[in-house]
Amino acid sequence: MSSTEHTIPDNLDPTASGPHLGDGHLPTDGQPPPADGAGIEPPTATGSLLLEPGDLELPDTVHLHEAVQINDDDSDERITAKLRTHGVRIGRGMISPRVFWPALLIILALVAYAVVWPNSAESTFSAVQGWIVSNLGWYYMLIVAAFIAIAATLGFSRLGRIRLGRDDDEPEFGLLSWFSMLFAAGMGIGLVFYGVGEPLTYATVDPKPGWEGNQAQIAGLAMAQTFVHWGIHPWAIYAIIGLSIAYAIHRRGRPVSIRWALEPLFGERVKGWTGDVIDILAILGTVFGVATSLGLGVQQISAGMLEIGIVDRVDNTTLVVLIIAVTLIAMISVISGIGAGMKWLSNINLSLAGALLISLLLLGPTLFLFQNLTESIGFYLANFMQMTFDVGAFQRGEGTSWFANWTIFYWGWWISWSPFVGIFIARISRGRTIREFVAGVMLVPTFVGILWFSVLGGSGLFRQFFGAGDLVEDGELNVDSVLFKILGDLPLGTVFSVVGILLVAIFFITSSDSGSLVVDMLASGGHPNPPTWSRVLWSVIEGLVAIALLLAGGLKSLQAAALATALPFSVILLLMAFATIRALRIDDRVLERAERTERIERLTEHMTTQLAENIGEHPAIETYVDDRIDYRISRTRAVFPPRRSAQGHQGRQQKQ
């Protein structure tokens, strides 16, 4: 047992709440009350020698005791009882009514608005997007840069030694398995959708305003800008929210819910309407973020079907049918459960993505792809800071449009998508230190993304500049279908095109399934096994939102929805960063106090043992100790000295 943990009594009632430490410190709900009834147990005599100012104000431990923490083998009834000890209100159907119903009604109202008045919805979404980009683009750029700085600082500082779990917890997953799951989280419909088209777009039809140079320089900048959009920047966002949630659920022992990440700032208020609003915003962001991915996915599936001749044309009816079909498959996955459904779909997805990447690397222009990878990394490192803070201040008009369609859209998309990815990476990171977490989350997916875009994007650049040159027609590039043109040129091109369609479809299914699970957990107060009926409901709602946004303006509406939902949640992310820093500083002081106490106890035990063993071998030491004891006793005076002592004192005075 770690030196900072309580010993939990066997007769502890898990449904009871313990004392609370106020004044901004981490609450200790559920800890067994000390015998003397005080909020903090007094330090031992040994430990008191090492107390520093403020030590008495620290909690005895940052962990909630295990009796109130949710375990994998707990029944639903016991989980519900434990959730109530955390202040969670669970109603009928195992949902949190103050979160579930407001979130559901807001989403349905927006869907109804987009379906009934599509023209009005399109103009509204466009106006919202235009206002955000024109007035708050600088804000999005600054906060993403701030997230990189905060995450890197936490990883490299002394706070990085803190473990996401108990002090003696081992990582729940091996390093390779953990990296693989981070890779799975980093892969998505967006990587497949933009893999070929994004670098090619920047290098040909839509370069970033202000770029100058020859074809090679523009292509290098195009690859670097793509790496910025898919590399460390988005994963710094995910690292912040993932770390905050992982600390709350693994270190503290709270339920899986966004609100608990803000407990160090808001204290008991996260159990009330403040926490409800936080979880509602997280649900809205997740639903619209997933819907954005689903909308992009069906556009690419339909383009692939058109390219290989399955359909003759693509219209809104085709897109709606595809969304309904894939949502039904996702519902089957939801009903079958994580083990039988989402797990094997994820494994198939990773296998297909890996096979596609390797096939393009080996069957395509292999030498050029490796050269492109090497050179693009150089452009990325050379332009990292400039691209991080570039808001197009001196490129008016066209600059605003470009940032709205690309960088600002991406930052809003990542922020709105962050509750889903954050909860996922938090749940798989138990036992990791903060340093390991930050390094793994920020670096591994970044390397995967760089490799992915170097191969797919490099294949498109090679074909356009050194091959057939037919990807750009009449000054336009169809991002939806360009992947399938690249795949069609490979040996067995039709087979690879079918693989590409399956890859997007399975990403669609897993995104809907996983997103539904995360939303359902948030709407159920952090219950790890939320009811199946509500997961099916949220899966259907995500499909409806994707349909509504497509009907209300297609990609523009998807982008606007991502930006709008990201704006309030970006404030929550900033608060989560500050809350986590505050909690970690307290945790670090608790650990430091425990380490000091442990060191002095070891030293005291060592010195006592050595003295007891060797005192007989050194008579001088024994005499010195005995004399010291006799001397101190002889010098002790009582309040009323014995009469004999007084008479002796008078006799000595007479002699003098």
Side-chain angles (χ1 to χ4, degrees):
M1 177 176 291
S2 114
S3 59
T4 61
E5 296 179 23
H6 278 301
T7 300
I8 303 173
D10 295 333
N11 61 351
L12 180 67
D13 179 6
T15 63
S17 295
H20 169 71
L21 289 177
D23 300 326
H25 294 309
L26 294 174
T28 55
D29 304 61
Q31 292 181 356
D36 59 0
I40 304 176
E41 296 179 0
T44 62
T46 303
S48 63
L49 297 175
L50 294 173
L51 286 178
E52 292 185 353
D55 274 1
L56 287 176
E57 301 176 2
L58 295 175
D60 190 50
T61 176
V62 299
H63 308 295
L64 301 181
H65 61 69
E66 295 178 355
V68 299
Q69 295 186 36
I70 298 171
N71 301 314
D72 293 337
D73 55 352
D74 285 340
S75 64
D76 287 342
E77 292 77 12
R78 184 165 179 80
I79 290 174
T80 301
K82 288 183 176 182
L83 287 174
R84 290 196 172 102
T85 69
H86 296 271
V88 178
R89 293 169 175 83
I90 302 295
R92 289 185 176 182
M94 290 174 57
I95 62 171
S96 177
R98 300 198 312 185
V99 175
F100 180 91
W101 293 112
L104 180 63
L105 293 175
I106 292 172
I107 293 171
L108 290 180
L110 291 174
V111 169
Y113 174 56
V115 172
V116 177
W117 298 285
N119 294 331
S120 175
E122 181 180 1
S123 61
T124 301
F125 291 147
S126 298
V128 169
Q129 182 183 19
W131 184 87
I132 290 176
V133 173
S134 299
N135 297 280
L136 296 177
W138 60 270
Y139 164 74
Y140 277 89
M141 301 298 284
L142 281 180
I143 61 171
V144 172
F147 292 146
I148 296 175
I150 293 171
T153 301
L154 288 176
F156 285 107
S157 71
R158 59 176 288 136
L159 301 178
R161 67 193 177 115
I162 297 175
R163 193 169 296 276
L164 298 174
R166 302 276 170 166
D167 295 333
D168 53 359
D169 276 354
E170 294 295 328
E172 187 175 1
F173 299 99
L175 195 61
L176 290 178
S177 298
W178 186 56
F179 283 164
S180 297
M181 286 184 282
L182 290 178
F183 172 79
M187 294 292 292
I189 292 174
L191 278 179
V192 183
F193 185 87
Y194 289 109
V196 177
E198 183 170 342
L200 188 57
T201 299
Y202 301 156
T204 56
V205 300
D206 193 17
K208 188 176 182 179
W211 283 357
E212 296 179 354
N214 56 32
Q215 175 181 291
Q217 292 173 322
I218 297 298
L221 291 171
M223 293 299 303
Q225 188 68 54
T226 304
F227 294 166
V228 167
H229 290 161
W230 294 86
I232 286 178
H233 293 72
W235 284 97
I237 300 172
Y238 299 151
I240 292 296
I241 187 170
L243 176 60
S244 302
I245 297 170
Y247 183 86
I249 65 177
H250 296 317
R251 185 76 173 169
R252 287 280 291 138
R254 288 299 191 183
V256 183
S257 189
I258 302 293
R259 69 176 67 197
W260 298 113
L262 290 164
E263 184 184 14
L265 280 184
F266 296 120
E268 291 290 314
R269 284 177 290 177
V270 298
K271 298 179 180 180
W273 68 267
T274 302
D276 296 335
V277 170
I278 293 168
D279 284 343
I280 289 170
L281 288 175
I283 289 175
L284 296 178
T286 302
V287 168
F288 283 99
V290 171
T292 302
S293 295
L294 301 188
L296 297 177
V298 294
Q299 287 181 335
Q300 191 164 43
I301 291 174
S302 62
M305 295 170 65
L306 181 64
E307 189 70 24
I308 63 177
I310 297 178
V311 296
D312 296 329
R313 62 187 179 90
V314 174
D315 52 18
N316 284 340
T317 302
T318 306
L319 298 177
V320 170
V321 170
L322 283 174
I323 292 177
I324 293 173
V326 180
T327 302
L328 288 174
I329 299 174
M331 288 171 55
I332 296 174
S333 176
V334 165
I335 295 171
S336 62
I338 295 177
M342 193 165 61
K343 183 176 180 180
W344 67 264
L345 283 176
S346 298
N347 291 334
I348 292 175
N349 222 15
L350 289 177
S351 301
L352 288 176
L356 190 65
L357 183 70
I358 295 172
S359 298
L360 277 171
L361 182 61
L362 298 180
L363 299 177
T366 306
L367 178 59
F368 173 80
L369 295 180
F370 279 116
Q371 292 172 335
N372 179 56
L373 170 64
T374 305
E375 192 167 314
S376 298
I377 291 175
F379 272 94
Y380 176 55
L381 295 177
N383 294 276
F384 180 87
M385 296 301 293
Q386 189 274 335
M387 289 182 173
T388 297
F389 294 98
D390 186 7
V391 295
F394 295 96
Q395 285 83 36
R396 318 304 291 178
E398 60 174 354
T400 301
S401 176
W402 192 94
F403 280 97
N405 292 331
W406 295 107
T407 304
I408 304 301
F409 159 64
Y410 274 129
W411 293 172
W413 190 14
W414 303 145
I415 292 172
S416 64
W417 183 255
S418 63
F420 161 50
V421 180
I423 288 176
F424 174 79
I425 62 178
R427 293 195 68 185
I428 65 174
S429 300
R430 183 184 185 93
R432 299 282 169 193
T433 64
I434 291 176
R435 188 167 292 113
E436 292 173 332
F437 179 90
V438 170
V441 170
M442 291 182 66
L443 297 182
V444 173
T446 297
F447 290 150
V448 171
I450 287 175
L451 179 61
W452 179 270
F453 281 101
S454 294
V455 173
L456 273 73
S459 298
L461 292 173
F462 184 86
R463 173 164 173 165
Q464 181 63 32
F465 294 145
F466 308 110
D470 58 347
L471 299 181
V472 177
E473 298 178 356
D474 299 326
E476 294 184 358
L477 174 68
N478 189 342
V479 178
D480 300 349
S481 62
V482 68
L483 170 65
F484 299 101
K485 290 184 178 180
I486 296 294
L487 295 178
D489 263 2
L490 300 176
L492 301 175
T494 303
V495 174
F496 282 110
S497 295
V498 172
V499 170
I501 294 173
L502 289 176
L503 185 62
V504 177
I506 298 176
F507 272 132
F508 193 144
I509 296 168
T510 53
S511 295
S512 178
D513 193 355
S514 305
S516 300
L517 175 61
V518 169
V519 169
D520 204 9
M521 290 171 61
L522 294 174
S524 301
H527 200 298
N529 304 309
T532 302
W533 71 266
S534 54
R535 286 183 63 183
V536 171
L537 174 64
W538 289 114
S539 181
V540 172
I541 288 174
E542 288 162 1
L544 289 176
V545 172
I547 292 172
L549 293 176
L550 282 174
L551 295 177
L555 184 59
K556 292 291 184 181
S557 292
L558 294 171
Q559 293 174 336
L563 276 177
T565 54
L567 184 57
F569 199 75
S570 66
V571 178
I572 294 177
L573 277 176
L574 287 172
L575 293 176
M576 290 173 72
F578 289 121
T580 303
I581 292 172
R582 183 174 188 176
L584 290 175
R585 292 179 63 184
I586 295 174
D587 199 329
D588 181 62
R589 291 174 60 192
V590 172
L591 282 175
E592 187 178 7
R593 182 187 62 189
E595 290 168 355
R596 289 199 310 268
T597 302
E598 185 179 357
R599 285 196 299 269
I600 196 63
E601 287 176 350
R602 287 201 308 266
L603 180 61
T604 303
E605 181 180 0
H606 174 74
M607 294 179 63
T608 303
T609 302
Q610 292 295 318
L611 187 62
E613 291 177 353
N614 299 324
I615 193 169
E617 300 176 5
H618 303 280
I621 296 178
E622 186 174 7
T623 303
Y624 172 75
V625 172
D626 290 345
D627 289 346
R628 293 274 294 184
I629 294 173
D630 291 341
Y631 171 76
R632 289 181 181 276
I633 293 175
S634 65
R635 293 289 294 172
T636 302
R637 293 286 185 265
V639 177
F640 301 103
R643 185 176 183 80
R644 185 181 59 184
S645 300
Q647 291 175 348
H649 179 65
Q650 292 175 358
R652 286 193 296 272
Q653 287 182 337
Q654 291 174 357
K655 289 180 182 180
Q656 293 175 356

mmCIF file of all heavy atoms in Angstrom, residues 6-30:
data_model
loop_
_atom_site.group_PDB
_atom_site.id
_atom_site.type_symbol
_atom_site.label_atom_id
_atom_site.label_comp_id
_atom_site.label_asym_id
_atom_site.label_seq_id
_atom_site.Cartn_x
_atom_site.Cartn_y
_atom_site.Cartn_z
ATOM 1 N N HIS A 6 -5.240 5.670 2.790
ATOM 2 C CA HIS A 6 -5.890 5.278 4.024
ATOM 3 C C HIS A 6 -6.009 3.770 4.089
ATOM 4 O O HIS A 6 -6.115 3.097 3.069
ATOM 5 C CB HIS A 6 -7.306 5.854 4.080
ATOM 6 C CG HIS A 6 -7.341 7.280 4.548
ATOM 7 N ND1 HIS A 6 -6.863 7.683 5.755
ATOM 8 C CD2 HIS A 6 -7.823 8.395 3.943
ATOM 9 C CE1 HIS A 6 -7.059 8.979 5.893
ATOM 10 N NE2 HIS A 6 -7.623 9.439 4.799
ATOM 11 N N THR A 7 -6.047 3.226 5.292
ATOM 12 C CA THR A 7 -6.461 1.849 5.479
ATOM 13 C C THR A 7 -7.971 1.843 5.604
ATOM 14 O O THR A 7 -8.533 2.499 6.469
ATOM 15 C CB THR A 7 -5.826 1.264 6.754
ATOM 16 O OG1 THR A 7 -4.416 1.331 6.606
ATOM 17 C CG2 THR A 7 -6.267 -0.167 6.951
ATOM 18 N N ILE A 8 -8.645 1.118 4.754
ATOM 19 C CA ILE A 8 -10.099 1.176 4.675
ATOM 20 C C ILE A 8 -10.700 0.160 5.626
ATOM 21 O O ILE A 8 -10.388 -1.026 5.549
ATOM 22 C CB ILE A 8 -10.576 0.897 3.250
ATOM 23 C CG1 ILE A 8 -9.925 1.919 2.313
ATOM 24 C CG2 ILE A 8 -12.073 0.963 3.137
ATOM 25 C CD1 ILE A 8 -10.176 1.645 0.873
ATOM 26 N N PRO A 9 -11.536 0.565 6.545
ATOM 27 C CA PRO A 9 -12.148 -0.381 7.463
ATOM 28 C C PRO A 9 -13.099 -1.318 6.743
ATOM 29 O O PRO A 9 -13.745 -0.956 5.778
ATOM 30 C CB PRO A 9 -12.909 0.525 8.454
ATOM 31 C CG PRO A 9 -13.121 1.796 7.710
ATOM 32 C CD PRO A 9 -11.968 1.951 6.785
ATOM 33 N N ASP A 10 -13.193 -2.545 7.240
ATOM 34 C CA ASP A 10 -14.032 -3.545 6.593
ATOM 35 C C ASP A 10 -15.510 -3.208 6.689
ATOM 36 O O ASP A 10 -16.297 -3.580 5.820
ATOM 37 C CB ASP A 10 -13.778 -4.929 7.221
ATOM 38 C CG ASP A 10 -12.356 -5.400 6.956
ATOM 39 O OD1 ASP A 10 -11.778 -4.965 5.938
ATOM 40 O OD2 ASP A 10 -11.833 -6.180 7.767
ATOM 41 N N ASN A 11 -15.911 -2.518 7.749
ATOM 42 C CA ASN A 11 -17.333 -2.259 7.948
ATOM 43 C C ASN A 11 -17.781 -0.923 7.376
ATOM 44 O O ASN A 11 -18.831 -0.409 7.736
ATOM 45 C CB ASN A 11 -17.653 -2.300 9.458
ATOM 46 C CG ASN A 11 -16.879 -1.230 10.224
ATOM 47 O OD1 ASN A 11 -16.000 -0.588 9.664
ATOM 48 N ND2 ASN A 11 -17.201 -1.066 11.503
ATOM 49 N N LEU A 12 -16.976 -0.349 6.467
ATOM 50 C CA LEU A 12 -17.342 0.945 5.895
ATOM 51 C C LEU A 12 -18.566 0.807 5.009
ATOM 52 O O LEU A 12 -18.646 -0.077 4.183
ATOM 53 C CB LEU A 12 -16.172 1.506 5.085
ATOM 54 C CG LEU A 12 -16.433 2.861 4.440
ATOM 55 C CD1 LEU A 12 -16.581 3.930 5.499
ATOM 56 C CD2 LEU A 12 -15.304 3.219 3.488
ATOM 57 N N ASP A 13 -19.513 1.714 5.188
ATOM 58 C CA ASP A 13 -20.712 1.728 4.353
ATOM 59 C C ASP A 13 -20.412 2.488 3.077
ATOM 60 O O ASP A 13 -20.171 3.691 3.103
ATOM 61 C CB ASP A 13 -21.859 2.410 5.120
ATOM 62 C CG ASP A 13 -23.134 2.468 4.290
ATOM 63 O OD1 ASP A 13 -23.150 1.878 3.190
ATOM 64 O OD2 ASP A 13 -24.108 3.096 4.748
ATOM 65 N N PRO A 14 -20.411 1.825 1.903
ATOM 66 C CA PRO A 14 -20.054 2.518 0.667
ATOM 67 C C PRO A 14 -21.059 3.560 0.245
ATOM 68 O O PRO A 14 -20.805 4.338 -0.648
ATOM 69 C CB PRO A 14 -19.972 1.387 -0.366
ATOM 70 C CG PRO A 14 -20.845 0.312 0.175
ATOM 71 C CD PRO A 14 -20.743 0.413 1.649
ATOM 72 N N THR A 15 -22.225 3.574 0.863
ATOM 73 C CA THR A 15 -23.229 4.569 0.480
ATOM 74 C C THR A 15 -23.167 5.817 1.339
ATOM 75 O O THR A 15 -23.975 6.715 1.177
ATOM 76 C CB THR A 15 -24.638 3.959 0.600
ATOM 77 O OG1 THR A 15 -24.887 3.619 1.967
ATOM 78 C CG2 THR A 15 -24.769 2.727 -0.263
ATOM 79 N N ALA A 16 -22.209 5.866 2.252
ATOM 80 C CA ALA A 16 -22.100 7.036 3.120
ATOM 81 C C ALA A 16 -21.006 7.955 2.614
ATOM 82 O O ALA A 16 -20.043 7.526 2.006
ATOM 83 C CB ALA A 16 -21.793 6.606 4.557
ATOM 84 N N SER A 17 -21.153 9.235 2.894
ATOM 85 C CA SER A 17 -20.145 10.208 2.492
ATOM 86 C C SER A 17 -19.381 10.660 3.715
ATOM 87 O O SER A 17 -19.936 10.810 4.805
ATOM 88 C CB SER A 17 -20.785 11.414 1.799
ATOM 89 O OG SER A 17 -21.390 11.021 0.595
ATOM 90 N N GLY A 18 -18.120 10.893 3.546
ATOM 91 C CA GLY A 18 -17.271 11.300 4.644
ATOM 92 C C GLY A 18 -17.117 12.800 4.707
ATOM 93 O O GLY A 18 -17.816 13.562 4.059
ATOM 94 N N PRO A 19 -16.142 13.287 5.475
ATOM 95 C CA PRO A 19 -15.926 14.719 5.643
ATOM 96 C C PRO A 19 -15.395 15.346 4.380
ATOM 97 O O PRO A 19 -14.953 14.677 3.464
ATOM 98 C CB PRO A 19 -14.885 14.780 6.779
ATOM 99 C CG PRO A 19 -14.185 13.468 6.699
ATOM 100 C CD PRO A 19 -15.200 12.476 6.250
ATOM 101 N N HIS A 20 -15.432 16.642 4.366
ATOM 102 C CA HIS A 20 -15.027 17.395 3.169
ATOM 103 C C HIS A 20 -13.986 18.426 3.555
ATOM 104 O O HIS A 20 -14.091 19.083 4.578
ATOM 105 C CB HIS A 20 -16.245 18.090 2.566
ATOM 106 C CG HIS A 20 -15.910 19.084 1.521
ATOM 107 N ND1 HIS A 20 -15.444 18.724 0.280
ATOM 108 C CD2 HIS A 20 -15.960 20.441 1.530
ATOM 109 C CE1 HIS A 20 -15.236 19.803 -0.440
ATOM 110 N NE2 HIS A 20 -15.534 20.853 0.295
ATOM 111 N N LEU A 21 -12.956 18.530 2.732
ATOM 112 C CA LEU A 21 -11.942 19.550 2.935
ATOM 113 C C LEU A 21 -12.240 20.728 2.027
ATOM 114 O O LEU A 21 -12.250 20.573 0.819
ATOM 115 C CB LEU A 21 -10.546 19.002 2.619
ATOM 116 C CG LEU A 21 -9.991 17.996 3.628
ATOM 117 C CD1 LEU A 21 -8.641 17.504 3.141
ATOM 118 C CD2 LEU A 21 -9.860 18.608 4.991
ATOM 119 N N GLY A 22 -12.502 21.876 2.592
ATOM 120 C CA GLY A 22 -12.840 23.037 1.794
ATOM 121 C C GLY A 22 -11.628 23.862 1.435
ATOM 122 O O GLY A 22 -10.517 23.387 1.322
ATOM 123 N N ASP A 23 -11.841 25.159 1.286
ATOM 124 C CA ASP A 23 -10.789 26.114 0.976
ATOM 125 C C ASP A 23 -10.057 25.784 -0.315
ATOM 126 O O ASP A 23 -8.864 25.982 -0.441
ATOM 127 C CB ASP A 23 -9.781 26.186 2.128
ATOM 128 C CG ASP A 23 -10.441 26.620 3.421
ATOM 129 O OD1 ASP A 23 -11.385 27.435 3.355
ATOM 130 O OD2 ASP A 23 -10.019 26.142 4.475
ATOM 131 N N GLY A 24 -10.800 25.230 -1.277
ATOM 132 C CA GLY A 24 -10.196 25.008 -2.580
ATOM 133 C C GLY A 24 -9.391 23.749 -2.708
ATOM 134 O O GLY A 24 -8.854 23.462 -3.759
ATOM 135 N N HIS A 25 -9.258 22.961 -1.607
ATOM 136 C CA HIS A 25 -8.484 21.736 -1.706
ATOM 137 C C HIS A 25 -9.334 20.633 -2.305
ATOM 138 O O HIS A 25 -10.553 20.723 -2.397
ATOM 139 C CB HIS A 25 -7.966 21.314 -0.325
ATOM 140 C CG HIS A 25 -6.973 22.279 0.244
ATOM 141 N ND1 HIS A 25 -5.886 22.706 -0.476
ATOM 142 C CD2 HIS A 25 -6.908 22.905 1.442
ATOM 143 C CE1 HIS A 25 -5.169 23.546 0.274
ATOM 144 N NE2 HIS A 25 -5.780 23.685 1.423
ATOM 145 N N LEU A 26 -8.659 19.554 -2.673
ATOM 146 C CA LEU A 26 -9.379 18.422 -3.241
ATOM 147 C C LEU A 26 -10.313 17.834 -2.202
ATOM 148 O O LEU A 26 -9.887 17.522 -1.089
ATOM 149 C CB LEU A 26 -8.381 17.352 -3.699
ATOM 150 C CG LEU A 26 -7.471 17.760 -4.852
ATOM 151 C CD1 LEU A 26 -6.448 16.670 -5.085
ATOM 152 C CD2 LEU A 26 -8.266 17.995 -6.098
ATOM 153 N N PRO A 27 -11.592 17.648 -2.510
ATOM 154 C CA PRO A 27 -12.502 17.038 -1.565
ATOM 155 C C PRO A 27 -12.095 15.610 -1.261
ATOM 156 O O PRO A 27 -11.478 14.940 -2.059
ATOM 157 C CB PRO A 27 -13.856 17.092 -2.294
ATOM 158 C CG PRO A 27 -13.687 18.123 -3.344
ATOM 159 C CD PRO A 27 -12.257 18.073 -3.729
ATOM 160 N N THR A 28 -12.486 15.150 -0.079
ATOM 161 C CA THR A 28 -12.170 13.782 0.320
ATOM 162 C C THR A 28 -13.442 13.015 0.613
ATOM 163 O O THR A 28 -13.531 12.276 1.576
ATOM 164 C CB THR A 28 -11.265 13.782 1.568
ATOM 165 O OG1 THR A 28 -11.917 14.542 2.594
ATOM 166 C CG2 THR A 28 -9.925 14.421 1.270
ATOM 167 N N ASP A 29 -14.473 13.203 -0.216
ATOM 168 C CA ASP A 29 -15.743 12.522 -0.033
ATOM 169 C C ASP A 29 -15.513 11.027 0.027
ATOM 170 O O ASP A 29 -14.805 10.452 -0.775
ATOM 171 C CB ASP A 29 -16.689 12.821 -1.189
ATOM 172 C CG ASP A 29 -16.891 14.307 -1.356
ATOM 173 O OD1 ASP A 29 -15.901 15.016 -1.617
ATOM 174 O OD2 ASP A 29 -18.038 14.742 -1.210
ATOM 175 N N GLY A 30 -16.161 10.390 0.968
ATOM 176 C CA GLY A 30 -16.095 8.949 1.026
ATOM 177 C C GLY A 30 -14.936 8.423 1.842
ATOM 178 O O GLY A 30 -14.828 7.237 2.065
#
